Amino acid sequence: MKTSRIGTASALLNGNQNDDRRQRKMADIAQALQTSPADVAALRRMAISEGGLLTDEIRCQVWPRLLNVPPNILEQEPETVERDNNKDYNQVLLDVQRSLRRFPPGMPDEQREGLQEELIDIILRVLKRNPQLHYYQGYHDIVVTFLLVVGERLATALVEKLSTHHLRDFMDPTMDNTKHILNYLMPIIERVNPDVHDFMQQAEVGTVFALSWLITWFGHVLSDFRHVVRLYDFFLACHPLMPIYFAAVIVLHREEEVLECECDMAMVHHLLSQIPQDLPYETLISRAGDLFVQFPPSELAREAASHHCMATTTFKDFDLASTQQRPDSVLHRRRRQLQLQQQQQQQQQEALERSAAVARPSMTRRFVRLAVMGLTVALGAAALAVVNTALEWAPKLDLFP
């Protein structure tokens, strides 16, 4: 009986601590939203850190900020969508009709059918506005997530911005850029666990098993909607290639299963394509952020080949625009703070480099990043990479006049 009471008291204490952390985080998010301009850097940290944005009500306010969508978008009446003679309509209709599992179980048929009609309209509306974009199977899995969280009007604006930035490479007329992004998977795995990499190479399994993960942001393969929106919080706050880092940590997390599998292409492909539903998502999110800092895309680009990738080359400007929604003295002060932090980090890097001069250059760079990463462990390593740095390899494009 005594042990039982101790266990009950411990559970209550942990529950109270979790409630306190949740309330503090909600207060911090509210404060970041009320700041003029909105503190997008803080909102990104909240989206990345444990628990993400917590509720759909908060996501309705924060997701537009992360994607630089103006708040007055809800005042605009969405235009009517012409379905007759639309080249994409038949394929979109088929995909939407197959999307029953993406809606909450127990939802009345009439309500679900109404949402499916809205889903079709959002997709066709975005494609009509942006004729350079090409529909792909799996796109609807991303759109339905936004529809269920924020509603038709706001979902249209968010999906359009996302489609012209983070998802842009998936919406080319060919899959060349999508294949290029998949090419980052094996170099990440090789750097972390050469044994798993070599086994997969020997099995000749390739990376196709991760295709549906990547192009749907895992929406198609995860059955629990809570996990899907948690990942969307993370991906919206990060670099466009973060989903491929998350795919890599899933494979690495399953190291024992992979190495115990028969070294056969079909067997390994089947194992990896069946994604577990009980993954430790917060742990994997943190690890994906760590790997992004240790092995940024610029280091992996040569191995992933030199094919042009629009999402990564426009992210520098997208990142800049989202943090300058209303430039004023607050923003200038924040810039000075970031510059000071970067100077301090640079000094620490130089000190570490001098002390590790006898090590190989590649290993030195890795240890330096790990040391810098430790400075922001409370915020998550991905927050350091996303909030405090730009993409040095991205050209300057006038995307936001």
Side-chain angles (χ1 to χ4, degrees):
M1 180 64 69
K2 185 176 180 180
T3 303
S4 176
R5 288 176 180 172
I6 293 174
T8 302
S10 177
L12 289 173
L13 180 61
N14 290 335
N16 290 336
Q17 290 174 341
N18 290 335
D19 289 342
D20 289 344
R21 285 198 297 268
R22 181 182 177 89
Q23 292 301 320
R24 285 198 300 270
K25 187 170 191 178
M26 293 179 74
D28 290 341
I29 293 172
Q31 182 178 358
L33 286 168
Q34 292 167 5
T35 302
S36 181
D39 192 344
V40 179
L43 294 175
R44 284 179 173 171
R45 291 195 295 270
M46 302 298 172
I48 291 168
S49 63
E50 184 176 356
L53 296 175
L54 302 175
T55 71
D56 286 351
E57 289 74 17
I58 293 176
R59 291 182 177 99
C60 288
Q61 300 178 68
V62 175
W63 281 5
R65 296 292 190 179
L66 297 180
L67 287 175
N68 194 23
V69 170
N72 63 353
I73 198 70
L74 291 177
E75 301 171 5
Q76 302 176 12
E77 189 72 27
E79 69 270 29
T80 303
V81 177
E82 180 62 45
R83 297 187 178 186
D84 294 336
N85 300 319
N86 187 301
K87 65 181 179 64
D88 296 303
Y89 173 66
N90 289 333
Q91 184 61 58
V92 172
L93 177 63
L94 288 174
D95 290 344
V96 170
Q97 288 176 339
R98 290 193 290 258
S99 66
L100 297 181
R101 59 181 293 274
R102 293 303 318 280
F103 293 89
M107 175 179 282
D109 289 344
E110 184 177 352
Q111 181 182 2
R112 174 185 51 75
E113 290 168 1
L115 287 171
Q116 286 180 307
E117 291 298 310
E118 292 178 1
L119 178 57
I120 293 172
D121 284 344
I122 293 172
I123 294 172
L124 296 182
R125 192 176 293 128
V126 170
L127 294 175
K128 178 183 177 182
R129 292 176 183 174
N130 302 273
Q132 77 278 15
L133 301 179
H134 297 262
Y135 178 76
Y136 65 88
Q137 288 183 276
Y139 182 68
H140 70 288
D141 282 299
I142 288 182
V143 180
V144 71
T145 302
F146 284 91
L147 173 62
L148 291 173
V149 173
V150 304
E152 181 182 6
R153 288 194 185 186
L154 189 51
T156 300
L158 297 181
V159 168
E160 182 171 12
K161 180 59 70 72
L162 197 70
S163 300
T164 54
H165 291 85
H166 293 64
L167 306 179
R168 180 63 184 86
D169 294 297
F170 307 147
M171 306 192 74
D172 269 353
T174 71
M175 289 189 65
D176 288 347
N177 279 348
T178 302
K179 293 175 182 176
H180 170 60
I181 295 174
L182 282 170
N183 287 344
Y184 281 84
L185 181 65
M186 295 305 290
I188 298 170
I189 294 173
E190 182 179 21
R191 279 162 170 74
V192 179
N193 193 322
D195 290 340
V196 172
H197 171 271
D198 294 347
F199 180 87
M200 293 174 65
Q201 289 287 81
Q202 186 176 352
E204 299 182 341
V205 68
T207 58
V208 175
F209 66 87
L211 177 61
S212 64
W213 306 356
L214 180 67
I215 65 176
T216 69
W217 276 12
F218 297 85
H220 182 72
V221 294
L222 297 181
S223 58
D224 193 326
F225 192 71
R226 295 173 302 170
H227 298 153
V228 175
V229 294
R230 172 66 187 101
L231 287 181
Y232 276 45
D233 292 341
F234 179 48
F235 295 153
L236 287 171
C238 291
H239 186 282
L241 289 183
M242 190 58 78
I244 203 67
Y245 282 81
F246 192 79
V249 299
I250 291 178
V251 175
L252 293 166
H253 175 71
R254 304 180 69 190
E255 172 189 359
E256 291 185 9
E257 293 178 80
V258 172
L259 296 180
E260 290 175 1
C261 182
E262 182 180 344
C263 192
D264 170 77
M265 181 178 66
M267 296 291 289
V268 178
H269 176 87
H270 177 74
L271 171 69
L272 291 175
S273 60
Q274 304 300 310
I275 190 169
Q277 297 298 311
D278 59 346
L279 294 169
Y281 291 94
E282 295 300 337
T283 300
L284 297 183
I285 285 171
S286 178
R287 193 177 186 194
D290 293 345
L291 294 186
F292 185 92
V293 174
Q294 295 176 57
F295 315 114
S298 57
E299 275 196 7
L300 307 175
R302 181 173 297 178
E303 293 172 64
S306 58
H307 197 81
H308 184 64
C309 180
M310 287 188 179
T312 59
T313 56
T314 62
F315 181 72
K316 180 177 180 180
D317 301 275
F318 179 82
D319 177 48
L320 182 63
S322 67
T323 57
Q324 297 186 42
Q325 293 175 33
R326 284 184 54 198
D328 61 3
S329 59
V330 176
L331 180 58
H332 293 310
R333 184 166 62 254
R334 191 177 304 128
R335 280 179 176 173
R336 289 195 294 271
Q337 292 172 348
L338 289 176
Q339 289 173 354
L340 179 60
Q341 292 174 2
Q342 290 169 354
Q343 290 173 0
Q344 293 172 343
Q345 292 167 6
Q346 181 63 32
Q347 291 171 357
Q348 292 175 358
Q349 285 182 5
E350 292 174 354
L352 285 169
E353 286 173 349
R354 286 194 297 271
S355 65
V358 296
R360 291 182 301 171
S362 61
M363 292 301 295
T364 301
R365 288 195 298 271
R366 182 178 305 178
F367 291 139
V368 168
R369 282 198 198 90
L370 286 170
V372 175
M373 180 183 66
L375 299 175
T376 57
V377 67
L379 300 178
L384 171 66
V386 175
V387 177
N388 292 343
T389 64
L391 304 185
E392 295 84 355
W393 63 93
K396 177 63 181 174
L397 300 177
D398 188 18
L399 297 178
F400 301 94

